[in-house]
Amino acid sequence: MKVLLTGGAGFIGTHVHHQLVAEGHDVVVFDSFRPDVHARRPDPRPGLIIGDVRDADAVTQAMDGIDTVVHLAAKVGLGVHLDDIDDYVSSNSLGTAVLLKSLGNVHNLVYASSMVVYGEGRYDCDDHGQVAPGPRRTEDLAQGRFEPPCPYCGAPLRPDLVTEDAAMDPRNAYAASKLNGEQLAAAWARETGGRVTALRFHNVYGPGMPRNTPYAGVAAIFRSALERGETPRVFEDGRQRRDFVHVRDVAAAVTLSAAALPHRPPFTAYNVGSGTVTTIGEVAAELARAYGGQPPVITGEYRLGDVRHITASSDRLKNELGWKPAYDLQTGIKDLLGQDRW
């Protein structure tokens, strides 16, 4: 199988590239090497195309002989402020649209989505069953009331795992752009007879995590603070529930999905997580222990565009494609630590 891998020089892309090559596939990497992510821009070479997915001519030329496209290229990050909403829409929504228009005779696409498309996770109320909490209110957060109440009775809610058929509720610019990419890809599949698998990644960590860039997830932010000799700072009360999945497990999910595409429905979405619910405070504490740093400080600070809890079930991916994560958090952090000290 010949694969075009957009964003193939990035954090996740590098691991996907290695996994695809290890499985015997021919891979062409397409990456813009945007300066806010990459320290240097290499020269093009066989198997590496320097280009932007918004450049239709470059993307069309890259499709020559391709069987499957794995589309990882995107502007990622928190997306909780409106200052760069146009960059998210341009890089992600427009970039995906140009890619889809340029696919030509290529009918197989793996699209890198994100668990942020769900917004807040699943919640249950004792009296009202499953409910969707309303927008977070500044006055609640400022008073340290971080848990969303039932929108009907105000009672405490119980967070639970989200499945792929949950309602979409993106709550920031990045989330909206990733959901828009899914919708565009689904429309392309319907119109062309193509096949799309959208992988909704959880919080990805592991060797090669970016440092000190807008692309650094919370685990990378904590790791960078510890390397500077600083104490990790945890927002809210540290009890926000997340799922941290190792980048090599993510790469395995991508390659499995790419190989299975010819036998899949026109559009399928899969959650990709470790299956273990972990709080952000626990991750900060685990990293601090691993790096020999000070225990994290719980600051009570908040960002209005953040969600409180988001964890999802990855059972569909496990049952339908036989995927199984190989790393728990402790093993994954040991792997990260060993890579950093190597």
Side-chain angles (χ1 to χ4, degrees):
M1 179 170 65
K2 187 172 183 179
V3 179
L4 179 67
L5 177 61
T6 74
F11 166 42
I12 297 175
T14 299
H15 288 271
V16 171
H17 186 194
H18 290 165
Q19 184 72 23
L20 286 167
V21 171
E23 294 179 8
H25 302 296
D26 185 8
V27 182
V28 177
V29 170
F30 188 101
D31 202 294
S32 67
F33 289 89
R34 51 188 297 162
D36 54 346
V37 182
H38 298 273
R40 66 181 186 86
R41 182 187 179 99
D43 295 325
R45 59 180 184 272
L48 174 63
I49 299 172
I50 313 297
D52 194 304
V53 290
R54 293 167 290 189
D55 183 342
D57 290 338
V59 176
T60 300
Q61 292 175 17
M63 292 295 168
D64 184 36
I66 295 298
D67 302 303
T68 298
V69 173
V70 175
H71 181 36
L72 304 180
K75 175 181 172 64
V76 299
L78 298 173
V80 296
H81 300 296
L82 294 179
D83 295 347
D84 50 2
I85 187 172
D86 52 342
D87 196 6
Y88 280 108
V89 172
S90 177
S91 299
N92 300 352
S93 299
L94 177 60
T96 298
V98 171
L99 177 78
L100 292 168
K101 185 178 178 180
S102 305
L103 285 173
N105 293 324
V106 180
H107 298 294
N108 299 312
L109 173 68
V110 177
Y111 172 73
S113 187
S114 170
M115 52 82 185
V116 297
V117 299
Y118 297 115
E120 288 283 355
R122 171 176 173 162
Y123 293 88
D124 293 290
C125 172
D126 288 338
D127 293 328
H128 296 95
Q130 185 175 340
V131 298
R136 306 183 86 187
R137 303 191 311 166
T138 301
E139 53 267 37
D140 290 335
L141 299 174
Q143 294 297 318
R145 296 190 294 268
F146 301 120
E147 294 291 345
C150 175
Y152 303 106
C153 65
L157 297 174
R158 297 188 310 278
D160 205 345
L161 302 181
V162 177
T163 58
E164 288 88 350
D165 56 358
M168 303 291 101
D169 185 21
R171 297 197 172 197
N172 56 53
Y174 170 59
S177 69
K178 296 308 288 185
L179 177 57
N180 186 225
E182 284 196 26
Q183 295 166 332
L184 292 169
W188 168 83
R190 284 192 297 270
E191 293 187 20
T192 65
R195 292 177 175 85
V196 177
T197 294
L199 299 177
R200 295 168 181 165
F201 300 149
H202 276 264
N203 298 76
V204 185
Y205 74 100
M209 280 196 307
R211 287 177 166 85
N212 303 320
T213 77
Y215 286 62
V218 66
I221 292 170
F222 294 153
R223 190 265 304 267
S224 295
L226 289 162
E227 289 177 337
R228 296 192 300 268
E230 300 172 1
T231 301
R233 296 175 59 83
V234 179
F235 278 21
E236 299 185 20
D237 57 4
R239 296 176 184 170
Q240 307 95 303
R241 291 160 55 101
R242 298 291 189 272
D243 185 326
F244 290 83
V245 59
H246 195 278
V247 66
R248 292 196 185 98
D249 288 331
V250 168
V254 171
T255 57
L256 272 172
S257 299
L261 266 171
H263 313 290
R264 304 304 303 155
F267 181 87
T268 308
Y270 291 115
N271 296 326
V272 184
S274 70
T276 301
V277 175
T278 308
T279 69
I280 290 178
E282 288 170 342
V283 168
E286 191 69 30
L287 283 164
R289 284 192 293 269
Y291 282 85
Q294 294 295 317
V297 172
I298 307 300
T299 68
E301 297 174 84
Y302 61 88
R303 289 180 291 253
L304 190 60
D306 282 348
V307 298
R308 178 60 176 174
H309 303 299
I310 176 63
T311 54
S313 168
S314 300
D315 286 348
R316 177 185 288 180
L317 180 60
K318 296 174 183 176
N319 295 335
E320 294 186 5
L321 297 187
W323 176 78
K324 183 179 180 180
Y327 292 84
D328 60 22
L329 184 63
Q330 289 72 31
T331 303
I333 288 179
K334 287 180 182 177
D335 177 60
L336 174 63
L337 184 63
Q339 183 264 349
D340 283 344
R341 290 181 175 176
W342 179 74

